Amino acid sequence: MWQGGGGTSGPQHPAARAELFISQQTSLLQFNETAALSPPLLQAKIKQLVKQNPDMAEAHYLSYLNCLRVKEFSGAVHSLLRTYDGQLTPRESGRVEDQSRGFRYAAMNLAALHAHFGHKKAGLFVLKEAIRLAQEISDHVCLQHALAWLYTLSPIHKAQLMKRSMVKSCELSLSYLSSLGRLNHAKQLSYTKTAPATLLQSIVRAEALNCKHSLVSLQHGAWALRATLWANWGVSTMTSLASQLLLHLNTHHPTSPSTFYSAQPTCAAVCNIAIGLANLGDYQLAGEVLQHARQRFPPHGQHSSTWMFTQAYISLVDLLHQGRWTEAQTAITSMATTHPTEAKLRQSELLIAKGQLTEAWGMLGELRKDPEVVGELRVQVLLMESCACVAGGACAVALPLLVEALSAAQHHHLAYLAALTHLHTANVQLQLGLSREAEASITAGLGTVLTGGSVYDQARARLVEAKLLLLGVAVSLDLVHKLFSKVRAYHKVRETLYFKARLYHEVGYVEERNKCALEFRQFELQHPCQAYQLTVNSF
C-alpha cells in the first residue's frame, strides 16, 4: 500500500520518540505482525499519541494498519481518512499540490481498503477517481500504483492490464511493481493453456528483481506461487520443497535480527506442509503443524483465515472418509465464510455420499454457471458431477462429463487431475463392460497417482486396477468352468462357482455374486452328489 513520507529524528525528544515508535510498529505490522504489540495494546498507545498530537498523520496510518489486522472496516476507513486530513484541508494557499496529492492517494488507499475486504465494485469506483486525479496532474508513479490495483479489482482484461503495468513500471524503475506484475501475470496465466515452463520463467525473472532490490515480501510471494503451481500440476514433492525453501529464507528485519518476515505466504507454506502430511494419513502430525501456524498467526490476525481454512479442509476430508456426516457439515459451514466456492463443492460431495443426489445436482449446476469456476475448480466440478451420475446408476451419462473434464485438465496442464479423471473414467468403463478401454485409462492415470498422490487416491487407484484384474480372473474362471464341465468334474465345477462368488463378494460386486450363487444352486439341483467338502484350496 502506498504511504505518504515521514521522517524521524533523535529519540531524545518526546515527538521524536513517538515518531520512532510509530515507525517501528508500522514496519513490524507489515513485516511480521506477531512481533508488533497486540491489537488492543497498540490501539491504546495510538490513542495516547493522537490525544497529544491530533494532526500526526503517521499515528492515524498506524491505526489504519492495526484495524486491518483485526478486520475492523469502519475503524480502518476512519483512520485512513484522518491520515490525509492535513493534506485534504490545507491551511495555506501554497499547499494546493499537497491537497491534490492527498486526494488522489487517499482515494487509491481507500480502493485498496475495499479490495482487502472483498468490496470489488466499491473499490473500482473509488480507484477510478484516483486515476482521474493522477491523470490531471500527470503523476505517473501514482498511476502505476493505481494500475496495480486496477488489474487486481477488474473482472476483465486482467492480462493486458498486467502487461501494461510491467512495461511502464520498468520504464519508471518501480522495481516492486514490476516484480509484482510478473508474479500476478504468471498466476493469471495459470488459468490458461500456457506451458508450465513459461510460468516458471516469469517467476525466475521476478526473483531476479526481488534479490537485486531486497524485496522480501515478494521473495516469499514467488516461492508461495511456485508451491501453488506445483500443487495444481500434481507434483506434491515439489510443492513441499517450495514451501520448505520459503520457510528457510533468511529474511530478518533490518533493525531486529531476531524478527523474520512472516505474512500470508509464510502461513500458506506451513499449511501446504500440513496438507501434505494429512494426504499421507499423518493427521496427528498435520495437527501439530497447524498448531504451530495458530501460534505464529493468532486467530485475531489478518492471515489467520489461511490456516483456519486448511484446518477445516483437513478435518472435512477425515470426516468424509469416516462417514461422520453431521460433523462434516459443521466443517463445511466454517469453510464457507472465507472460501464459499470450495464449500459448495464439498457440500455437493457430502450430499452425494449421503445419497441426496437431487440436491447435489442443483448445487453443482450453480457452480458450473459461476464465471469464477475455471481451471482446476471446473475440473473438480465435472468430476463431482460424474460421481453423482455413477451414484445414480447413470454411468453412460458420466462418460461425456469425464471427457470434458479430461480435456479441461489437459488444457490447463493439470496433470494430477487428468490422471484422476482417467481413473474415474476407467471405473465407469468397467461398469459398462468396456474392459479393454478401462485398461487403457488405468494405464494412463495409475503412474501419476501412485508417484505423487495422497494415500486415499493411491488406494482408489489400486482398487480400480484390482477390479480390472478381477474381470480378467472372471474370464479365466469361465474357461475353467467350461473345461471342468466338459470332463464332468462336477466337484471342481462347484469349487469354481464357489470361488467366483467369494471373489465377487470380497470386492463388493453384489449383483455378480448373487448370480454366481444362483448358478451354484441350479447346478446343485441338476447334478446332486454325495457329501463332499467344498474348498478352494485343493488342486
Side-chain angles (χ1 to χ4, degrees):
M1 182 170 292
W2 182 261
Q3 304 174 44
T8 59
S9 57
Q12 64 277 6
H13 192 274
R17 288 199 298 270
E19 290 181 3
L20 178 62
F21 171 80
I22 292 171
S23 175
Q24 289 175 338
Q25 292 297 312
T26 299
S27 177
L28 288 174
L29 283 181
Q30 295 174 324
F31 196 86
N32 185 339
E33 71 171 47
T34 55
L37 294 177
S38 66
L41 181 57
L42 180 57
Q43 200 62 30
K45 294 281 187 181
I46 293 171
K47 285 183 179 179
Q48 292 178 2
L49 294 173
V50 171
K51 188 176 181 180
Q52 296 169 0
N53 190 347
D55 297 327
M56 184 179 285
E58 293 83 356
H60 293 295
Y61 185 77
L62 179 58
S63 175
Y64 162 72
L65 293 178
N66 198 36
C67 290
L68 278 186
R69 72 196 288 209
V70 294
K71 303 178 178 64
E72 185 186 339
F73 178 75
S74 58
V77 172
H78 174 75
S79 298
L80 180 61
L81 295 179
R82 290 297 305 273
T83 302
Y84 291 94
D85 273 352
Q87 296 179 20
L88 299 181
T89 54
R91 298 179 178 83
E92 303 172 14
S93 58
R95 293 178 62 192
V96 175
E97 163 56 21
D98 284 350
Q99 184 181 28
S100 174
R101 185 176 188 276
F103 273 123
R104 61 182 180 270
Y105 281 108
M108 187 172 63
N109 279 299
L110 184 58
L113 173 62
H114 282 296
H116 180 83
F117 285 93
H119 309 155
K120 292 188 176 182
K121 289 185 179 179
L124 277 172
F125 180 80
V126 180
L127 187 62
K128 288 178 182 178
E129 179 65 15
I131 293 173
R132 184 186 67 79
L133 292 171
Q135 287 174 335
E136 286 180 356
I137 205 162
S138 298
D139 187 344
H140 297 292
V141 174
C142 180
L143 282 172
Q144 288 312 299
H145 282 84
L147 183 56
W149 284 111
L150 182 60
Y151 68 64
T152 301
L153 291 168
S154 177
I156 56 174
H157 307 308
K158 285 182 176 289
Q160 296 90 323
L161 292 171
M162 289 174 187
K163 288 181 180 178
R164 192 183 307 169
S165 174
M166 286 187 290
V167 172
K168 194 65 178 178
S169 296
C170 187
E171 292 176 1
L172 296 173
S173 299
L174 299 174
S175 304
Y176 184 91
L177 291 181
S178 181
S179 176
L180 181 65
R182 289 186 183 279
L183 293 178
N184 285 328
H185 191 234
K187 184 178 180 180
Q188 182 65 25
L189 289 178
S190 68
Y191 300 112
T192 68
K193 62 179 180 180
T194 305
T198 304
L199 301 183
L200 293 174
Q201 188 178 32
S202 182
I203 296 174
V204 169
R205 289 175 178 172
E207 283 187 317
L209 287 172
N210 298 341
C211 295
K212 182 178 179 180
H213 300 281
S214 300
L215 304 175
V216 174
S217 62
L218 293 184
Q219 287 176 348
H220 278 65
W223 282 107
L225 179 57
R226 264 199 183 94
T228 300
L229 292 176
W230 284 117
N232 290 346
W233 298 329
V235 189
S236 57
T237 303
M238 293 301 295
T239 301
S240 178
L241 179 61
S243 300
Q244 290 281 2
L245 287 172
L246 185 156
L247 295 174
H248 282 83
L249 287 176
N250 186 14
T251 52
H252 59 79
H253 193 271
T255 61
S256 178
S258 61
T259 302
F260 292 85
Y261 180 81
S262 186
Q264 199 280 330
T266 314
C267 188
V270 175
C271 291
N272 285 338
I273 293 171
I275 290 174
L277 291 169
N279 286 339
L280 296 175
D282 296 325
Y283 292 110
Q284 184 176 352
L285 290 177
E288 292 176 5
V289 172
L290 287 175
Q291 181 60 29
H292 167 76
R294 183 186 182 92
Q295 294 171 354
R296 196 165 180 176
F297 303 94
H300 58 69
Q302 58 180 323
H303 307 305
S304 59
S305 60
T306 302
W307 66 258
M308 286 181 176
F309 168 76
T310 303
Q311 187 176 55
Y313 173 79
I314 293 175
S315 297
L316 174 62
V317 171
D318 186 25
L319 292 168
L320 286 174
H321 289 171
Q322 297 182 55
R324 294 157 62 181
W325 309 140
T326 304
E327 294 166 86
Q329 184 63 65
T330 303
I332 292 172
T333 303
S334 66
M335 291 169 60
T337 55
T338 55
H339 294 72
T341 303
E342 181 72 22
K344 285 182 180 180
L345 184 63
R346 298 304 163 187
Q347 182 69 55
S348 65
E349 183 178 5
L350 175 60
L351 290 171
I352 293 171
K354 294 167 66 177
Q356 299 175 3
L357 301 181
T358 303
E359 295 88 337
W361 267 112
M363 188 163 290
L364 290 168
E366 292 177 9
L367 287 172
R368 289 197 73 174
K369 295 176 184 177
D370 190 339
E372 294 186 1
V373 176
V374 295
E376 181 184 8
L377 271 176
R378 179 168 179 79
V379 176
Q380 290 184 6
V381 169
L382 290 168
L383 287 178
M384 202 67 69
E385 285 184 317
S386 71
C387 290
C389 290
V390 173
C395 292
V397 180
L399 278 179
L401 294 170
L402 290 167
V403 171
E404 185 180 352
L406 181 60
S407 175
Q410 293 174 338
H411 180 80
H412 294 284
H413 304 281
L414 304 173
Y416 188 73
L417 279 177
L420 282 181
T421 304
H422 278 300
L423 295 172
H424 276 281
T425 304
N427 186 57
V428 172
Q429 289 168 333
L430 286 174
Q431 296 184 58
L432 293 174
L434 306 172
S435 57
R436 294 184 64 181
E437 291 80 357
E439 183 178 4
S441 297
I442 290 173
T443 302
L446 189 62
T448 301
V449 173
L450 293 183
T451 54
S454 66
V455 171
Y456 179 71
D457 286 341
Q458 289 183 38
R460 289 198 298 168
R462 290 196 179 278
L463 179 59
V464 175
E465 184 186 29
K467 289 178 180 179
L468 178 64
L469 294 174
L470 175 62
L471 286 181
V473 172
V475 172
S476 180
L477 288 176
D478 286 339
L479 177 59
V480 170
H481 179 278
K482 182 179 179 180
L483 294 175
F484 279 140
S485 297
K486 188 173 183 179
V487 297
R488 293 185 289 189
Y490 297 142
H491 65 291
K492 287 295 184 181
V493 173
R494 293 187 186 89
E495 287 182 9
T496 303
L497 291 172
Y498 174 63
F499 179 63
K500 282 181 67 176
R502 282 186 55 179
L503 202 58
Y504 281 130
H505 176 75
E506 291 296 329
V507 295
Y509 278 28
V510 178
E511 186 176 349
E512 287 78 1
R513 179 203 64 190
N514 292 342
K515 286 181 180 179
C516 284
L518 177 60
E519 188 176 357
F520 182 92
R521 178 59 179 161
Q522 290 174 342
F523 187 84
E524 285 275 271
L525 294 174
Q526 293 173 6
H527 303 283
C529 66
Q530 298 176 353
Y532 63 91
Q533 183 179 2
L534 188 60
T535 177
V536 296
N537 297 322
S538 62
F539 177 69

